[in-house]
Amino acid sequence: MDFTFISGQLFTGLSVASILLLAALGLALSFGLMRVINMAHGEFLMVGGYLTYLAAQWAGPTLGDAWLWVAFPLAFLGAGLLGAVMEFAVIRRLYGRPLDTLLATFGISLILQQAARQLFGSTGVPVTAPAWLGGALTLGDVTLPFVRLFVIALALIVLAGMWWLLNRSPFGMHVRAVNQNREMAAALGVNTRSLDMLVFSLGAGIAGVAGVGLALIAPVNPTVGAAYIVNAFLVVVVGGVGSVLGAAVAAVLLGFVTALAEGFTSSSLAQAILLVLVVAFLQWKPRGLIPTKSRALEEA
Amino acid sequence: MSKLRSVCTTTLSLILAAASSASAQSTVKVGVLHSLTGTMAISEITVANAAQLAIDEINAKGGVLGKKIVVVKEDGASDWPTFATKAEKLLTQDKVATVFGGWTSASRKSMLPVFEKNGGLLFYPVQFEGNECSPNIIYTGAQPNQQALPALEWALSKGYKKIFLLGSDYVYPRTANLILKKHITDMKATLSGEEYVALGGTEFSSVINKIKAAKPDVIINTLNGDSNVSFFKQYQAAGYKASTLPVISFSIAEQEAQAIGTQLLNGQYATWNYFQSLPNPANKKFVAAYQKKHGAGAAITDPMAHAYMDVYLWKAAVEKARSFEPMAVRKAIVGISMDSPLGKITVAPNGSLTQAVYTGISGAGGQFKVVAQSKGVVKPEPYDKLAFPGKTCP
C-alpha cells in the first residue's frame, strides 16, 4: 500500500461518488420530495445513454467532437419528456400509494428495457468519448483521466444547479412549500398538479444528463439502468429522504467506503461490505444522515 | 348414416396412420436448445442460427440416412433450471435423436444429469473451464488446454512475464484462472495480481488502480458480457493502450468486438479455435452461406462455427453407426475427422475435439487477424494435470 496507490484510491472514491450522485440526484427529487418509488429511474439513465449514442451518430459527422454538447440538451429534454408522459399517464393516479408506484414503475422499467431492445438490439451500442477527453492529468505518479474529471465536474454542476433551483428560485420555494404542506400550499395558490409533473420530469431529465456522463465510461445497453438503480436508492436513503444535500454527502461517503473496501479486499467483496455497513448505519440512523422535516414524513 | 360415418372415420384414420408412419420413416427429430430470450439471448440466438444453417444445408442434400432432419427448437430463457426442464421434454416427449445446445457452464451443469438419466446425447459448442467429463456430452468448444494455456504460453514467448488475471466472478473465470495460476508458477512467470468483478459490473477504477500498482506486462481477461465495455473504456481513459499494456481475452469474439467499439479494442488480442477471417475453403463457404441468410454484416464467432460443425459431426457419426441411437452415435463419433471452418478437427476418445488454437489481433470492423497459431492440432485435456492431478475421463 504505497502513497501512489492510496492517492489513486482516494481519486477512485471521488469518481465513484460522482457517479453515485449523478444516478441519485434525479431520484432525490422524485423519491425524496414526492414519495414516488420510481423503479424506472434507471431507465431514464438508459434513455440518456441511447440519446448520447444518437447524438454521436447524427451530430458526430458534422460537428466532430462537439457532438457531446448536443447530447446534453437532447438527453435532458428526451428523458424529461418521457418523465412528463409517465407522470401524466401513470404516476399522477398513484400519489400517496408508494407501494403501487413501486409496482407500476417496475412494470414500466421492463417495458422501456424491452423497447430499447427492439429499437437498438440487445447487444448494446458503442459510444466513444471525444478525443479531447482522452488524455489524463498527471500529478506525480497519480493519473487522473480527463473523462473521470469531466464526470466529477458534471456531478458538481448538476448538484449546484439543483441546489440553486430548490433554494433560490421561486420554483424551488413552491416545491419546498408543497413538500412541507401540500394542502396549505394549494390553498395559497400553488398549482400542485403541474408542479408535480414539473418536478417529476425534472428528475427524469437530470437522470438523462447523468446517462450522458455514464455513456462515456460504461456500456449503453437495455439493462444498464438496472445496474445503477440499487446504488441510487442507497444514496437517497442513507442521505435522508428528501434532502439533496444529504444525497451529496451520502454519495461521497459511499464512494469512499467503496474505494477503501475495494482497495483492501476485492471488488466483489467490497459490494457486500458496503451493503452490510449501510444496513448497520440504518439501524443507527433510520432517517439517514440529514433528515428533512416535513408533514409527510411525520405522518408516515 | 352411422355406418357411413364409421366407414369414413376408419378410412380417414387409416390414411392418417399411413401418412404419419410414412413421415416417421422419412424424418428424424433433433433438438436445438438455446436461450432465445433473456440476458444470454444476445450470444445464443446466433449460435442456434448457425446450427439451423447446417441442418438446412443437410436437408437440402437429402438428409441423414435418407431422413430429413426436423428441428424441435426450445428456449432455455437464460434460466438454468429451464434448460433442464426443456432437455427432459426434448428427450422424453419429443424423443429427439440428439440435442445441440447450451452456452453457460451453469446451463450445461443443469442439463448434464438429465442427459445421463435418459441416455441422451448433447453437443455443447462453447469453450469452458474443463474439470468435467460425461459420456452423454460431446464438448466441442475449447478445453482449457486449447485456449487458456496456449494464450499463456504465447504471452510468455512474447516476453510478457508478469501476468494480471482479471475476470467476472463466476465458475468459468475462477476455474480457468486456477489452472492458469498453477501454470504461471510452473513456468517460472509472475502472477502480478488477480481480480474478480461481479457479473455485469461497470466500475473498474479500483481494479485499474490495482493494475497500475502491480505493473503487469499483460492482462489475461476472462470478463464476460458488457463488463468488457466498461473495462476497455476505463482502461483507455487511464492512459493504457494495446502497445503499453496488452490484454488477451477469452470471451471477446467478432460479435462482442462490434458492441465494445472497434476503436476501443484496436490492437488487443483474443484466443479461440476459430476466427471469421480464417482463410480455409470450408470457412469461406460457411461465412458466405451464413451472411446470405442473416445479412452481409453479420459477425461470426467461435461458438457459432462449433455449433455449425457439431451438426455435421453428428451426421457423420450417424452414418458411420448406421443408427440414430444416441449411444451408438457416441461410440461411432470417436475418431471421425473432417475439414471444417475451424480447419482439420478430429473427435478424441473423451468426446472433445482435437483442434488448432489461434491468437488474433483485433482490427478494422471488429475482425481479428491471426498472429499466432498452435503447431498443428492440440489434443483436448478436460482435466488439467497440474490443477486437477489424478483426474481423467473414463
Side-chain angles (χ1 to χ4, degrees), chain A:
Chain A
M1 292 296 146
D2 59 350
F3 173 74
T4 313
F5 181 76
I6 291 170
S7 26
Q9 278 309 95
L10 288 177
F11 179 69
T12 295
L14 210 57
S15 143
V16 171
S18 67
I19 289 163
L20 288 173
L21 190 59
L22 277 177
L25 272 177
L27 201 66
L29 278 183
S30 58
F31 181 50
L33 295 179
M34 299 163 70
R35 309 289 176 271
V36 172
I37 301 180
N38 180 16
M39 296 300 284
H41 185 74
E43 276 58 48
F44 293 136
L45 292 173
M46 174 199 80
V47 167
Y50 276 109
L51 288 171
T52 309
Y53 168 71
L54 290 180
Q57 294 296 303
W58 293 337
T62 45
L63 296 179
D65 279 348
W67 64 262
L68 191 59
W69 307 119
V70 181
F72 283 111
L74 190 69
F76 180 74
L77 294 175
L81 191 69
L82 185 72
V85 171
M86 202 170 124
E87 201 273 349
F88 181 76
V90 181
I91 309 291
R92 159 157 308 197
R93 292 149 223 279
L94 299 171
Y95 283 127
R97 294 153 64 189
L99 282 179
D100 296 350
T101 59
L102 184 144
L103 276 180
T105 53
F106 183 63
I108 293 172
S109 86
L110 294 181
I111 293 169
L112 291 175
Q113 284 179 25
Q114 193 56 41
R117 217 169 265 131
Q118 299 291 340
L119 284 170
F120 297 98
S122 50
T123 329
V125 292
V127 173
T128 318
W132 55 269
L133 279 176
L137 193 66
T138 313
L139 296 176
D141 282 342
V142 187
T143 47
L144 315 177
F146 284 146
V147 66
R148 290 277 179 184
L149 293 171
F150 183 77
V151 172
I152 292 173
L154 181 65
L156 288 176
I157 291 168
V158 173
L159 180 68
M162 235 172 102
W163 182 85
W164 180 85
L165 203 63
L166 285 177
N167 294 300
R168 289 286 179 272
S169 73
F171 166 77
M173 194 176 68
H174 287 176
V175 172
R176 280 178 291 134
V178 170
N179 187 37
Q180 281 174 7
N181 194 330
R182 178 171 287 266
E183 284 76 25
M184 185 60 82
L188 290 170
V190 177
N191 185 347
T192 58
R193 267 269 154 106
S194 56
L195 196 76
D196 285 340
M197 186 192 256
L198 266 176
V199 171
F200 191 82
S201 58
L202 182 68
I206 289 172
V209 170
V212 182
L214 287 181
L216 300 176
I217 54 171
V220 180
N221 64 26
T223 50
V224 67
Y228 291 96
I229 186 79
V230 172
N231 284 335
F233 271 108
L234 277 188
V235 167
V236 173
V237 171
V238 169
V241 172
S243 162
V244 172
L245 186 66
V249 176
V252 172
L253 205 63
L254 294 185
F256 279 114
V257 168
T258 306
L260 205 67
E262 282 180 343
F264 288 101
T265 64
S266 71
S267 309
S268 38
L269 196 57
Q271 189 67 21
I273 293 173
L274 180 75
L275 287 171
V276 168
L277 289 178
V278 166
V279 170
F281 171 81
L282 289 177
Q283 300 293 317
W284 173 52
K285 269 184 176 271
R287 287 169 130 205
L289 282 169
I290 304 178
T292 46
K293 281 208 163 79
S294 90
R295 275 291 148 95
L297 265 184
E298 278 151 23
E299 283 156 6

Side-chain angles (χ1 to χ4, degrees), chain B residues 39-171:
Chain B
T39 175
M40 289 308 297
I42 155 184
S43 306
E44 290 193 59
I45 286 174
T46 50
V47 173
N49 287 344
Q52 182 71 49
L53 175 67
I55 292 167
D56 292 345
E57 286 176 2
I58 291 169
N59 279 341
K61 288 188 178 157
V64 183
L65 291 183
K67 296 190 184 206
K68 288 265 161 74
I69 306 170
V70 174
V71 174
V72 185
K73 210 171 185 181
E74 285 292 346
D75 179 7
S78 307
D79 178 55
W80 326 135
T82 305
F83 269 92
T85 324
K86 299 282 184 169
E88 180 108 40
K89 183 233 168 211
L90 285 170
L91 293 176
T92 57
Q93 197 178 317
D94 300 316
K95 303 208 186 314
V96 296
T98 191
V99 177
F100 302 96
W103 178 296
T104 63
S105 292
S107 74
R108 187 190 68 250
K109 287 200 183 286
S110 84
M111 287 189 287
L112 179 96
V114 178
F115 279 91
E116 290 191 339
K117 187 183 78 188
N118 294 296
L121 190 62
L122 170 72
F123 283 82
Y124 175 72
V126 184
Q127 44 96 311
F128 73 120
E129 67 279 4
N131 196 22
E132 182 186 303
C133 205
S134 165
N136 299 76
I137 301 183
I138 306 290
Y139 304 85
T140 60
Q143 300 281 355
N145 75 314
Q146 294 175 322
Q147 186 186 31
L149 294 182
L152 174 65
E153 280 162 18
W154 177 76
L156 293 178
S157 78
K158 295 279 280 185
Y160 305 134
K161 300 284 182 207
K162 287 177 74 183
I163 290 142
F164 196 99
L165 301 175
L166 170 63
S168 296
D169 203 359
Y170 74 107
V171 57

Side-chain angles (χ1 to χ4, degrees), chain A residues 8-9 143 215 218 221 262 265, chain B residues 206 209-210 212 226 230 233:
Chain A
Q9 278 309 95
T143 47
N221 64 26
E262 282 180 343
T265 64
Chain B
S206 288
N209 210 8
K210 283 182 178 178
K212 200 169 276 172
D226 281 315
S230 302
K233 276 184 180 177

